Amino acid sequence: MAMKGPGLFPDIGKKAKDLLTRDYTYDQKLTFSTVSASGVGLTSTAVKKGGLYSLDVSSVYKYKNTLVNVKVDTESNISTTLTILEVLPSTKLVTSVKLPDYNSGKVEVQYFHENASFATAVGVKPSPVVELSGTVGAQGVAFGAEAGYDTATGKFTKYSAAIGVTKPDYHAAFILADKGDTIKVSGLYHLDEKQKASAVAELTRKLSTNENTLTVGGLYMVDPQTSVKARLNNTGTLAALLQHEVKPKSILTVSGEFDTKALDRPPKFGLALALKP
């Protein structure tokens, strides 16, 4: 089901956030994905973080409008997600649970309209947290809000509001989050028509502490198989990554981060290899 309308509330400001954070890793990670003859997609991921190793295996199976995802990790956690597309016209149903924590179960309904999108998520425990979000908009401008309500305590767990603007050459967002305590303004601008180079900036202000965080970054496509990204914030933390498609659908990512104000500290390095035969 192709998503229609202005998108869900978390989509506001997502492009700028992804450029600043996505694919940065400071561990050693190997991912291998394949598809069996029966159509089941299998993905195995091994991660070395410090001196610890972890492994998880996930499977994805699609039958008509139903998508089943099961993930098992080395700590014996089993995560299951069932997605039903077009359960009603323009509506998606998503149910998830992580065992052995039965209270982690959640049921979510997403509705996509030409000028509006809505989502409702309810936990399956006796006194669940109910989450509501909605976005309305047209011609690249979207207004959204979300709220979470704990039926056990009778209190709001969160409420946020946002405005997003999406145009062919730029994306901008203004977000009021953390129950009105955090203001986040972000913008992403494509420097050329083919979007080979992009610049991004994000300013976050915490009203309760008067703390400001400014992060700037950029993306440059060296060639169709190679891209570089970098980011720098006002605390002096500089990070960069190189991503290369070693063969079709197989990606190698090398990333690093260091504190420009404390060069005596060892930098962080990460290596990720995702293989798809």
Side-chain angles (χ1 to χ4, degrees), residues 5 12 68 73-74 93 107 116 129 206 223 264:
I12 298 178
V68 181
D73 61 29
T74 51
L93 174 67
V107 178
V129 174
K206 193 82 170 177
D223 55 48
D264 56 321

Side-chain angles (χ1 to χ4, degrees), residues 16-46:
K17 181 180 179 181
D18 283 350
L19 197 153
L20 288 173
T21 62
R22 188 175 179 181
D23 297 324
Y24 285 94
T25 180
Y26 308 113
D27 306 314
Q28 285 72 52
K29 183 178 180 181
L30 175 63
T31 303
F32 182 79
S33 301
T34 186
V35 179
S36 68
S38 60
V40 178
L42 298 173
T43 301
S44 300
T45 303

Side-chain angles (χ1 to χ4, degrees), residues 86-114:
E86 296 289 351
V87 62
L88 293 173
S90 303
T91 304
K92 179 193 296 185
L93 174 67
V94 182
T95 63
S96 61
V97 65
K98 185 175 182 179
L99 304 176
D101 183 11
Y102 294 93
N103 289 328
S104 65
K106 184 169 67 172
V107 178
E108 181 175 6
V109 177
Q110 301 174 358
Y111 174 73
F112 301 95
H113 185 266
E114 192 173 302

Side-chain angles (χ1 to χ4, degrees), residues 102-157:
Y102 294 93
N103 289 328
S104 65
K106 184 169 67 172
V107 178
E108 181 175 6
V109 177
Q110 301 174 358
Y111 174 73
F112 301 95
H113 185 266
E114 192 173 302
N115 297 114
S117 299
F118 302 95
T120 302
V122 181
V124 297
K125 60 183 181 179
S127 298
V129 174
V130 180
E131 298 179 350
L132 302 171
S133 67
T135 307
V136 296
Q139 298 181 346
V141 181
F143 301 86
E146 69 169 356
Y149 182 77
D150 191 338
T151 58
T153 62
K155 297 181 180 180
F156 283 97
T157 59

